Amino acid sequence: ILGPEVDRLPTLHTNARTDRELLEVWLKSHRDGSAHTVRVYARVGERFVAALGDGGLRRATVEGVQAALEAMRVRADGQPVKDATVNTYVGAVKSFLGFAHRVGYTRFNAAPFIKLKKAPRQVAQRILGELETRKLIDAANPGRDRLMLEIAYYGGLRVSELVSLSWAQVIERDSGEAQLEIVGKGRKAR
């Protein structure tokens, strides 16, 4: 029975000697996931390591990690970062900190001491209503443009799914109708 000490005993180890080397190892551990996630993690990880300053991750305190995250709340141009973006940053940093501890790079895991703040959901504000969508489809040029909008709307496709469609994904049915096999988010077929 190890009790609370079990979280402090890394079972994996890394040869990384610097924070940047550890960042590369962490990013490689996500290579099989979403390319978008890897890009975001790389950008956030670089900003976080830079915000930690000279002491680096091994000498960082909980307060130092919080100060680095606080510095990331402002863009280079001085504008504040939106709450949802801050949550993305915090989630990525927590993952990085947990990884650093699991591979024995740091002696403690500061991630549990960092909390995500509830950001208001703004997705509904960006969604077009049925009438607005119908007007958009009707206003589109006949042919390709209208067909693309109709397929996207009636199929519930994301823009990335729509623009990556190929003929191999069109399945003709005996009734004369067509079915689309979409490879969507998370590489899941639907």
Side-chain angles (χ1 to χ4, degrees):
I1 309 282
L2 296 173
E5 297 298 312
V6 73
D7 191 40
R8 295 189 197 145
L9 301 172
T11 56
L12 301 170
H13 295 284
T14 181
N15 293 325
R17 293 183 312 265
T18 67
D19 292 353
R20 292 222 183 322
E21 287 178 7
L22 180 69
L23 181 60
E24 285 302 314
V25 173
W26 178 60
L27 292 172
K28 284 179 184 174
S29 75
H30 288 87
R31 290 285 188 233
D32 291 337
S34 159
H36 174 72
T37 299
V38 173
R39 282 191 309 274
V40 170
Y41 276 12
R43 190 178 69 242
V44 172
E46 285 293 333
R47 281 196 70 192
F48 177 68
V49 167
L52 280 175
D54 296 333
L57 192 54
R58 284 193 165 139
R59 292 193 176 144
T61 61
V62 172
E63 294 84 6
V65 168
Q66 289 171 335
L69 278 169
E70 199 60 38
M72 294 171 66
R73 290 179 173 273
V74 179
R75 292 188 194 133
D77 63 3
Q79 295 293 320
V81 175
K82 293 183 179 178
D83 289 342
T85 303
V86 170
N87 278 348
T88 299
Y89 292 172
V90 170
V93 167
K94 284 175 67 97
S95 174
F96 182 53
L97 292 171
F99 179 81
H101 177 66
R102 278 191 312 279
V103 298
Y105 187 80
T106 57
R107 291 174 47 123
F108 75 99
N109 183 3
F113 301 101
I114 302 165
K115 303 296 180 204
L116 287 170
K117 293 181 181 174
K118 188 102 170 145
R121 292 190 51 101
Q122 297 176 338
V123 174
Q125 296 170 358
R126 298 187 310 228
I127 296 175
L128 294 177
E130 188 176 346
L131 182 61
E132 295 164 316
T133 304
R134 187 75 253 162
K135 286 181 181 180
L136 182 65
I137 291 171
D138 290 342
N141 292 331
R144 185 194 71 145
D145 294 349
R146 183 171 294 168
L147 181 61
M148 284 179 63
L149 287 172
E150 287 176 341
I151 289 172
Y153 180 67
Y154 295 116
L157 274 63
R158 294 175 176 87
V159 172
S160 60
E161 295 168 346
L162 178 67
V163 299
S164 65
L165 274 178
S166 68
W167 282 110
Q169 293 172 278
V170 179
I171 303 165
E172 195 172 335
R173 295 292 171 204
D174 293 337
S175 63
E177 295 177 333
Q179 177 179 336
L180 297 176
E181 182 180 351
I182 305 300
V183 179
K185 194 171 183 178
R187 296 185 184 132
K188 293 179 187 165
R190 57 184 178 91

